[in-house]
Amino acid sequence: MYRLLIVFIIFISTLFATETESKKTAIFIECRFCSEDFIKEQIPYVDYVRDRLDADIHILETSQQTGSGGDEYSLYFIGQSTFNGKNDTLSFTTNVDDTKDQIRNERVRMIQIGLMPYLLKTPLASRISVDVASVQTSPEKVEDKWNNWVFKIRGNSFMNAQQSSRSFNIFGTISASRVTEDWKFSLSTNGSYNENMYEYGGTEYLSTSDSRRLRGSVIMSLTDHMSAGLWTSAWNSSYGNTDLGLSITPEFEYSLYPYSESNQQSLRLNYSFTAKHVDYTDTTIYFKTEEMLFGEGVSVSYNTVKPWGSINTSISGDHYFHDFSKNIISLNTGLSLRLIKGLSLNVNGSGSMVHNQLSIPKGDYSIEDVLLERAELQTQFTYFASIGFSYSFGSIYNNIVNPRFNGSGGGSYSFFMSF
């Protein structure tokens, strides 16, 4: 009995010693789709903690796409504990053709640079050396033969089958875009074809659908808080009962915060006016084979990324002028929140009140149309919601990297609910 008690005391002492003996600067890294194991391997001289409240430095990463198709990453260094009030921001930009290895190496380099002002205030300063590569003081001006234009071609297909069913899908898109400080231009075209077959009771049910779309837009910067844009589109869709649709939409946007702060927070108000002409494949429930439509829309959106979590929410409404009852109101929201130490809550939801389905064909649907989703069905609402949380406890340090059996076998568990 006494031996067991001694072993237990030694075990508990070892656990507490592991946490209290650490003298390294503690950091908490918050980033999406980044390899934290790689960061730990490349920067082993700090402690990595599981909760931001245990950290001396909270590193928060956000990103937004650049005009070339790459990304601009912003790293916010938030000082806590002994570094409270000492904050900094660093940014780096990637190209569309950069590999994951190039991106993760650049992220590590920027984290190392950002940590230096903090580490210089610690005993680790005596072990820091600086190696600066030669810098070209007057770099030669680079001529861009593409004049900021970026072109993309993408295509994919998939198929799967079993004895009583098969499905096939093919999709392709071509796009061109040009982004400068004052203007954004884009032009794209895409098309898709879907085929599904089910066999039951000796009967074969085949469903096919196809669509094509051509889009163009031009956006002009008016001020640091205001922009104007123009969108045009041409399309056809078997699912949407449309042989040919044409639309033009001017839109205005006002941003309460400067656009330069959009990577951290934004509150935007948008107003749009739309004119479109639609030729329907089949006569609609309103006995139309074609019609000219005019409408307007307004939306408000708010986004923020903070140390305690993030919020993304928007509400929008659209209606047609010929009949105000033909409208749609939509709400989309997402919340990621750290409630207490180790406990995080994630909530996502969207919903729409739908009263603007003008392209629904008249006549009865067959059971095959309904089950195989061959055509758009009438509805007065749509919604989606999910809620999940995670909780972790134990040692606050998480420095060890062990890649054995990563990606094969095993599993993880969390609570998740959707409706």
Side-chain angles (χ1 to χ4, degrees):
M1 181 64 179
Y2 289 108
R3 292 179 180 178
L4 182 61
L5 180 60
I6 293 172
V7 171
F8 178 75
I9 293 173
I10 294 175
F11 176 73
I12 294 297
S13 301
T14 304
L15 287 179
F16 281 99
T18 302
E19 292 193 359
T20 57
E21 287 175 3
S22 175
K23 301 297 182 181
K24 298 179 182 178
T25 300
I27 68 172
F28 175 74
I29 297 180
E30 185 173 5
C31 55
R32 297 182 63 189
F33 311 116
C34 66
S35 174
E36 293 190 39
D37 282 352
F38 182 76
I39 296 173
K40 293 173 184 177
E41 290 175 344
Q42 301 300 310
I43 310 178
Y45 43 82
V46 296
D47 270 329
Y48 298 87
V49 295
R50 297 183 297 101
D51 191 277
R52 69 180 183 90
L53 298 179
D54 294 318
D56 300 309
I57 307 167
H58 179 184
I59 303 175
L60 173 63
E61 180 184 277
T62 63
S63 65
Q64 56 187 353
Q65 194 173 54
T66 65
S68 65
D71 291 284
E72 180 190 57
Y73 294 89
S74 296
L75 294 167
Y76 301 95
F77 293 79
I78 305 167
Q80 301 180 161
S81 185
T82 57
F83 299 121
N84 188 41
K86 186 176 179 61
N87 304 326
D88 199 3
T89 303
L90 296 178
S91 299
F92 67 96
T93 303
T94 63
N95 297 318
V96 65
D97 56 351
D98 282 350
T99 64
K100 290 183 179 180
D101 183 63
Q102 290 175 302
I103 296 172
R104 70 179 187 174
N105 276 297
E106 184 62 11
R107 177 184 288 110
V108 164
R109 189 179 75 87
M110 297 306 293
I111 291 176
Q112 289 175 319
I113 293 174
L115 287 175
M116 284 302 102
Y118 301 93
L119 298 181
L120 289 174
K121 303 296 183 180
T122 70
L124 191 64
S126 61
R127 300 168 56 190
I128 295 176
S129 61
V130 179
D131 182 14
V132 181
S134 60
V135 180
Q136 188 175 353
T137 56
S138 56
E140 182 181 350
K141 185 178 180 179
V142 178
E143 294 292 337
D144 182 6
K145 65 178 181 179
W146 296 103
N147 193 26
N148 290 321
W149 281 99
V150 176
F151 302 87
K152 297 180 182 179
I153 300 175
R154 183 165 64 94
N156 59 62
S157 64
F158 70 85
M159 63 181 67
N160 61 67
Q162 58 174 336
Q163 185 171 348
S164 59
S165 67
R166 71 170 185 270
S167 64
F168 172 75
N169 169 271
I170 186 170
F171 173 84
T173 180
I174 302 174
S175 65
S177 63
R178 182 176 186 266
V179 178
T180 66
E181 291 292 334
D182 298 319
W183 294 91
K184 293 175 68 175
F185 302 91
S186 70
L187 182 66
S188 66
T189 181
N190 62 66
S192 67
Y193 174 79
N194 301 277
E195 180 178 296
N196 295 278
M197 187 281 296
Y198 300 91
E199 184 179 347
Y200 182 74
T203 302
E204 183 178 289
Y205 303 96
L206 179 65
S207 169
T208 63
S209 63
D210 62 88
S211 66
R212 287 164 289 275
R213 182 177 288 269
L214 175 66
R215 308 183 203 190
S217 68
V218 55
I219 299 171
M220 178 176 60
S221 301
L222 300 178
T223 69
D224 197 27
H225 293 266
M226 189 177 298
S227 301
L230 181 69
W231 282 259
T232 59
S233 182
W235 73 95
N236 78 330
S237 170
S238 61
Y239 178 81
N241 189 34
T242 302
D243 274 342
L244 178 63
L246 301 169
S247 72
I248 182 169
T249 303
E251 185 168 348
F252 299 90
E253 178 181 81
Y254 177 77
S255 176
L256 181 65
Y257 301 102
Y259 286 112
S260 58
E261 298 180 11
S262 61
N263 212 17
Q264 277 191 293
Q265 62 181 348
S266 66
L267 177 59
R268 305 186 186 190
L269 173 65
N270 293 69
Y271 172 80
S272 63
F273 172 85
T274 299
K276 66 180 178 180
H277 181 271
V278 186
D279 287 324
Y280 299 112
T281 305
D282 297 316
T283 303
T284 70
I285 55 177
Y286 298 102
F287 302 98
K288 300 286 188 179
T289 57
E290 63 174 313
E291 60 183 327
M292 188 72 190
L293 298 166
F294 299 93
E296 65 180 347
V298 63
S299 68
V300 179
S301 62
Y302 176 72
N303 302 282
T304 185
V305 179
K306 298 294 183 182
W308 46 259
S310 62
I311 298 175
N312 300 281
T313 188
S314 67
I315 184 170
S316 62
D318 300 82
H319 72 87
Y320 292 111
F321 286 116
H322 76 280
D323 185 349
F324 277 50
S325 68
K326 301 298 184 288
N327 60 68
I328 181 172
I329 300 175
S330 301
L331 172 67
N332 296 273
T333 188
L335 169 67
S336 178
L337 181 64
R338 290 188 177 88
L339 300 175
I340 59 176
K341 182 177 179 179
L343 179 62
S344 297
L345 173 69
N346 294 286
V347 179
N348 292 278
S350 64
S352 298
M353 299 297 294
V354 182
H355 304 289
N356 66 342
Q357 293 177 290
L358 302 184
S359 63
I360 301 294
K362 69 180 182 67
D364 296 328
Y365 291 109
S366 67
I367 187 64
E368 292 89 351
D369 291 331
V370 175
L371 296 179
L372 300 181
E373 298 183 349
R374 289 175 175 170
E376 184 180 5
L377 302 179
Q378 280 187 279
T379 183
Q380 292 189 343
F381 66 89
T382 64
Y383 72 89
F384 166 81
S386 69
I387 180 171
F389 69 86
S390 62
Y391 180 65
S392 60
F393 57 92
S395 172
I396 66 172
Y397 300 104
N398 190 20
N399 296 352
I400 306 301
V401 176
N402 189 337
R404 294 166 181 81
F405 281 96
N406 275 359
S408 63
S412 60
Y413 300 90
S414 62
F415 174 81
F416 180 82
M417 178 172 62
S418 66
F419 51 89

